[in-house]
PDB file of all heavy atoms in Angstrom:
ATOM      1  N   ARG A  57      88.639 109.778 120.790  1.00 96.00           N
ATOM      2  CA  ARG A  57      88.708 110.882 119.831  1.00 96.00           C
ATOM      3  C   ARG A  57      87.576 110.882 118.817  1.00 96.00           C
ATOM      4  O   ARG A  57      86.946 111.914 118.567  1.00 96.00           O
ATOM      5  CB  ARG A  57      90.037 110.851 119.056  1.00 96.00           C
ATOM      6  CG  ARG A  57      91.155 111.563 119.756  1.00 96.00           C
ATOM      7  CD  ARG A  57      92.461 110.892 119.422  1.00 96.00           C
ATOM      8  NE  ARG A  57      92.448 109.565 120.015  1.00 96.00           N
ATOM      9  CZ  ARG A  57      92.899 109.308 121.227  1.00 96.00           C
ATOM     10  NH1 ARG A  57      93.431 110.240 121.939  1.00 96.00           N
ATOM     11  NH2 ARG A  57      92.814 108.086 121.735  1.00 96.00           N
ATOM     12  N   THR A  58      87.327 109.739 118.183  1.00 97.00           N
ATOM     13  CA  THR A  58      86.363 109.760 117.072  1.00 97.00           C
ATOM     14  C   THR A  58      84.971 110.137 117.593  1.00 97.00           C
ATOM     15  O   THR A  58      84.306 111.019 117.042  1.00 97.00           O
ATOM     16  CB  THR A  58      86.340 108.397 116.354  1.00 97.00           C
ATOM     17  OG1 THR A  58      87.679 108.065 116.005  1.00 97.00           O
ATOM     18  CG2 THR A  58      85.490 108.451 115.104  1.00 97.00           C
ATOM     19  N   ARG A 107      80.213 103.189 114.878  1.00 97.00           N
ATOM     20  CA  ARG A 107      81.421 102.358 115.014  1.00 97.00           C
ATOM     21  C   ARG A 107      80.975 100.997 115.536  1.00 97.00           C
ATOM     22  O   ARG A 107      80.231 100.917 116.511  1.00 97.00           O
ATOM     23  CB  ARG A 107      82.425 102.982 115.978  1.00 97.00           C
ATOM     24  CG  ARG A 107      83.552 102.021 116.320  1.00 97.00           C
ATOM     25  CD  ARG A 107      84.656 102.653 117.112  1.00 97.00           C
ATOM     26  NE  ARG A 107      85.458 103.542 116.296  1.00 97.00           N
ATOM     27  CZ  ARG A 107      86.585 104.124 116.715  1.00 97.00           C
ATOM     28  NH1 ARG A 107      87.008 103.900 117.950  1.00 97.00           N
ATOM     29  NH2 ARG A 107      87.272 104.916 115.926  1.00 97.00           N
ATOM     30  N   HIS A 135      88.167 103.222 108.042  1.00 98.00           N
ATOM     31  CA  HIS A 135      87.933 104.345 108.967  1.00 98.00           C
ATOM     32  C   HIS A 135      88.088 105.627 108.135  1.00 98.00           C
ATOM     33  O   HIS A 135      89.055 106.367 108.272  1.00 98.00           O
ATOM     34  CB  HIS A 135      88.967 104.271 110.086  1.00 98.00           C
ATOM     35  CG  HIS A 135      88.673 105.131 111.275  1.00 98.00           C
ATOM     36  ND1 HIS A 135      87.694 106.110 111.293  1.00 98.00           N
ATOM     37  CD2 HIS A 135      89.238 105.143 112.512  1.00 98.00           C
ATOM     38  CE1 HIS A 135      87.689 106.686 112.481  1.00 98.00           C
ATOM     39  NE2 HIS A 135      88.608 106.116 113.246  1.00 98.00           N
ATOM     40  N   GLN A 138      88.929 109.194 109.597  1.00 98.00           N
ATOM     41  CA  GLN A 138      90.299 109.318 110.108  1.00 98.00           C
ATOM     42  C   GLN A 138      91.231 109.637 108.930  1.00 98.00           C
ATOM     43  O   GLN A 138      92.104 110.495 109.023  1.00 98.00           O
ATOM     44  CB  GLN A 138      90.724 108.009 110.794  1.00 98.00           C
ATOM     45  CG  GLN A 138      92.161 108.012 111.307  1.00 98.00           C
ATOM     46  CD  GLN A 138      92.392 108.956 112.483  1.00 98.00           C
ATOM     47  OE1 GLN A 138      91.590 108.992 113.398  1.00 98.00           O
ATOM     48  NE2 GLN A 138      93.474 109.715 112.459  1.00 98.00           N
ATOM     49  N   ARG A 168      92.689  99.539 110.791  1.00 98.00           N
ATOM     50  CA  ARG A 168      91.777 100.041 109.743  1.00 98.00           C
ATOM     51  C   ARG A 168      92.227 101.410 109.231  1.00 98.00           C
ATOM     52  O   ARG A 168      91.981 101.759 108.076  1.00 98.00           O
ATOM     53  CB  ARG A 168      90.348 100.102 110.261  1.00 98.00           C
ATOM     54  CG  ARG A 168      90.192 100.891 111.561  1.00 98.00           C
ATOM     55  CD  ARG A 168      88.835 100.631 112.186  1.00 98.00           C
ATOM     56  NE  ARG A 168      88.753 101.189 113.530  1.00 98.00           N
ATOM     57  CZ  ARG A 168      87.877 100.777 114.435  1.00 98.00           C
ATOM     58  NH1 ARG A 168      87.028  99.810 114.152  1.00 98.00           N
ATOM     59  NH2 ARG A 168      87.845 101.330 115.627  1.00 98.00           N
ATOM     60  N   THR A 169      92.898 102.191 110.083  1.00 98.00           N
ATOM     61  CA  THR A 169      93.288 103.531 109.631  1.00 98.00           C
ATOM     62  C   THR A 169      94.303 103.439 108.487  1.00 98.00           C
ATOM     63  O   THR A 169      94.257 104.224 107.556  1.00 98.00           O
ATOM     64  CB  THR A 169      93.887 104.375 110.778  1.00 98.00           C
ATOM     65  OG1 THR A 169      95.096 103.775 111.227  1.00 98.00           O
ATOM     66  CG2 THR A 169      92.926 104.506 111.939  1.00 98.00           C
ATOM     67  N   ARG A 228      99.329 101.692 116.536  1.00 98.00           N
ATOM     68  CA  ARG A 228      99.564 100.711 117.608  1.00 98.00           C
ATOM     69  C   ARG A 228      99.235  99.315 117.096  1.00 98.00           C
ATOM     70  O   ARG A 228      98.478  99.157 116.128  1.00 98.00           O
ATOM     71  CB  ARG A 228      98.713 101.048 118.840  1.00 98.00           C
ATOM     72  CG  ARG A 228      97.286 100.652 118.706  1.00 98.00           C
ATOM     73  CD  ARG A 228      96.407 101.037 119.871  1.00 98.00           C
ATOM     74  NE  ARG A 228      95.034 100.929 119.410  1.00 98.00           N
ATOM     75  CZ  ARG A 228      94.251  99.860 119.560  1.00 98.00           C
ATOM     76  NH1 ARG A 228      94.693  98.807 120.220  1.00 98.00           N
ATOM     77  NH2 ARG A 228      93.034  99.838 119.069  1.00 98.00           N
ATOM     78  N   GLN A 230      97.079  96.220 117.240  1.00 97.00           N
ATOM     79  CA  GLN A 230      95.654  96.172 117.613  1.00 97.00           C
ATOM     80  C   GLN A 230      95.360  94.918 118.456  1.00 97.00           C
ATOM     81  O   GLN A 230      94.794  93.933 117.954  1.00 97.00           O
ATOM     82  CB  GLN A 230      94.796  96.177 116.342  1.00 97.00           C
ATOM     83  CG  GLN A 230      95.139  97.305 115.368  1.00 97.00           C
ATOM     84  CD  GLN A 230      94.416  98.596 115.683  1.00 97.00           C
ATOM     85  OE1 GLN A 230      93.201  98.644 115.723  1.00 97.00           O
ATOM     86  NE2 GLN A 230      95.184  99.657 115.926  1.00 97.00           N
ATOM     87  N   PRO A 264      97.098 107.977 114.654  1.00 98.00           N
ATOM     88  CA  PRO A 264      95.651 108.209 114.879  1.00 98.00           C
ATOM     89  C   PRO A 264      95.310 108.248 116.370  1.00 98.00           C
ATOM     90  O   PRO A 264      94.247 108.748 116.740  1.00 98.00           O
ATOM     91  CB  PRO A 264      94.985 107.014 114.195  1.00 98.00           C
ATOM     92  CG  PRO A 264      96.028 105.941 114.160  1.00 98.00           C
ATOM     93  CD  PRO A 264      97.350 106.659 114.050  1.00 98.00           C
ATOM     94  N   LEU A 265      96.201 107.737 117.205  1.00 98.00           N
ATOM     95  CA  LEU A 265      95.999 107.599 118.647  1.00 98.00           C
ATOM     96  C   LEU A 265      94.795 106.671 118.916  1.00 98.00           C
ATOM     97  O   LEU A 265      93.905 106.619 118.095  1.00 98.00           O
ATOM     98  CB  LEU A 265      95.824 108.959 119.333  1.00 98.00           C
ATOM     99  CG  LEU A 265      97.003 109.949 119.145  1.00 98.00           C
ATOM    100  CD1 LEU A 265      96.672 111.297 119.816  1.00 98.00           C
ATOM    101  CD2 LEU A 265      98.319 109.387 119.710  1.00 98.00           C
ATOM    102  N   PRO A 266      94.731 105.928 119.975  1.00 97.00           N
ATOM    103  CA  PRO A 266      95.638 105.981 121.118  1.00 97.00           C
ATOM    104  C   PRO A 266      96.989 105.308 120.844  1.00 97.00           C
ATOM    105  O   PRO A 266      97.065 104.362 120.080  1.00 97.00           O
ATOM    106  CB  PRO A 266      94.864 105.190 122.187  1.00 97.00           C
ATOM    107  CG  PRO A 266      94.052 104.195 121.408  1.00 97.00           C
ATOM    108  CD  PRO A 266      93.663 104.908 120.149  1.00 97.00           C
TER     109      PRO A 266
HETATM  110  C1  LIG B 401      91.961 104.335 115.629  1.00 51.07           C
HETATM  111  C2  LIG B 401      90.823 103.348 115.439  1.00 51.07           C
HETATM  112  O1  LIG B 401      89.859 103.321 116.222  1.00 51.07           O
HETATM  113  O2  LIG B 401      90.919 102.625 114.460  1.00 51.07           O
HETATM  114  N1  LIG B 401      91.688 105.324 116.587  1.00 51.07           N
HETATM  115  C3  LIG B 401      91.000 106.448 116.205  1.00 51.07           C
HETATM  116  O3  LIG B 401      89.907 106.373 115.688  1.00 51.07           O
HETATM  117  N2  LIG B 401      91.607 107.630 116.378  1.00 51.07           N
HETATM  118  C4  LIG B 401      93.270 103.690 115.852  1.00 51.07           C
HETATM  119  C5  LIG B 401      93.417 102.656 116.922  1.00 51.07           C
HETATM  120  O4  LIG B 401      92.494 102.328 117.661  1.00 51.07           O
HETATM  121  O5  LIG B 401      94.531 102.155 117.040  1.00 51.07           O
END
Side-chain angles (χ1 to χ4, degrees):
R57 274 148 293 269
T58 307
R107 170 172 287 187
H135 194 348
Q138 177 69 44
R168 54 194 170 201
T169 64
R228 78 183 164 94
Q230 308 274 302
L265 302 177

